[in-house]
Amino acid sequence: MYRTNTCGELRIENLNQEVILAGWVQKARKMGGMIFVDLRDRYGITQLVFNQEVNGELCERASKIGREWVIQVKGKVMERSNKNPNISTGDIEIIACELNILNVSETPPFTIEEDTDGGDDLRMKYRYLDLRRNNVRSNLELRHRMAFETRSYLNGQQFLEVETPVLIGSTPEGARDFVVPSRMNPGEFYALPQSPQTFKQLLMVSGIDRYFQIVKCFRDEDLRADRQPEFTQIDCEMSFVQQEDILNMFEGLTKHLFKTVKGIDLSDFPRMSYDDAMKLYGSDKPDTRFDMKFVEIQDLTKGKDFVVFDSAEYVAAIRAEGCASYTRKQLDELTDFVKRPQIGAKGLVYVRYETDGTFKSSVDKFYSQDDLKTWAQRCNAKPGDLLLILCGTTEKTQKQLCELRLEMGSRLGLRDKSQFNCLWVVDFPLLEFDEELGRYFAKHHPFTSPKPEDIPLLDSNPGAVRANAYDMVINGVEIGGGSIRIYNSELQKKMFGILGFTEEKAQTQFGFLMNAFKFGAPPHGGIAFGLDRFVSIFAGLDSIRDCIAFPKNNSGRDVMIDAPAVLEQEQLDELNLQVALKQK
Ligand code: ASP
């Protein structure tokens, strides 16, 4: 037997037991005639004691062991005189009587402790060592529990987990595809799925009725903190459902996860229309942990010779409670913040509602105290509050004000990671017009159904058509999204037409789906959750990387295995790829 117990298991109740433990040496220190070793495994840390007086030879051998050596120790559980309340085994220690060195280790490139001295790059290169650290490993444990509870809930609701292929065909919509050359079909390529969308819809045609899959998806996009080239979805689809059925089922899943994994009881999720989300928060994924909604004040600002406001399409304010005391420096910081190229505002107007009831603003030249008072009233401001105002074209300004709102939320400590505000954003527009390309794109994807009552608008005013599409948002993060699908091949054909597909192109790309719809497709709809984001939210992480065992860096590289890499000419030839060998 390698071990009788784990390193996280023994307590005072186990006193005097003979045990065998195995694990990694986190630390070994000599004190007088004693050697103390912290032995670590996945479950915790247990202190081992080698005593010179009891066993000189054993102590001599123990004095040689170094950090991260793998050892097996037999000994007796004893009460510690110097207890450590910080660890679960802190009341006991093992007085060793046998030591077996299972493997030696080179000195690790960084300390394997909660506060490590290793930088990001180094830890990524030695990710397998990083994963020995508690904080990283606990994210994987959380991820496992969430995946497990997801399966348990969906299994209980009659969902079948069905695997769909990873080598599929490239589709032009959505993000860029990763492609794989086909050796057996020279000059032809597979693509890796951006999601199993079409397959899950085909499974509905097959009568599977309730499908799910915890599945890797691939998108060749520029990376950010919440994006990886390969990521995991909880992908789901149901037949004979309306939007309401899907929202209820997956609100149920989310509540189940919060309850079983975090012990949190959530109340019913509010619903917000896309239009309201944009109007009140300038975002289709509003962080509703704090209020600070947009207040439009353009009508109150007109006609006072302030050209900037007069010429703007949109003028809106947010109210920062109790911030009238902001200093010049703080206001300058906020102005610099909105003027950063990523945000791109031209400037920031502020109004301080002083505690004495007077107003002080950056536009005092144009507006009287009475004018400013009307703004303050509309914003429900009280003395002591600060109004921050942006103006310009509607959409752009809403986005800028959204960033400013989030920044203020952070500055004021209103984005508490232990608070979870979930909501559904519904009634998304079906289409989005791309000014540059002069054509419509599907806001969600081309299989999303328009709201039946809006179908007549498809011909007259496609931009106004609303979709039966929904997103689940938690704390300003889009955790999941989906839609009720088109299941009529004629309507699907029409949709491809609106999206600028020629009939031939639609047939080559999606003929299989439109044909399948001719054979009795049931009404269906679904949703996909981003598991990585879901886990990050549960763990309070800033980046999804920290809940992925082997993530890629911001240039899409795996620095541990050094991928991607150049291929040998032979392999390129075999794949019929005429690629110049990259000079290393
Ligand atoms: N396949 C969609 C996505 O990846 C989700 C869905 O519509 O179910 O966003």
Side-chain angles (χ1 to χ4, degrees), residues 48-65:
L48 313 175
V49 186
F50 296 88
N51 192 335
Q52 178 74 42
E53 276 173 26
V54 178
N55 192 334
E57 183 270 334
L58 187 69
C59 217
E60 171 63 24
R61 285 204 299 127
S63 70
K64 304 228 160 51
I65 53 184

Side-chain angles (χ1 to χ4, degrees), residues 187-199:
E188 296 187 332
F189 293 81
Y190 299 103
L192 305 180
Q194 296 185 25
S195 85
Q197 185 61 36
T198 49
F199 288 96

Side-chain angles (χ1 to χ4, degrees), residues 160-175:
L160 285 190
E161 185 162 20
V162 181
E163 289 175 80
T164 52
V166 171
L167 295 175
I168 65 168
S170 185
T171 52
E173 282 292 312

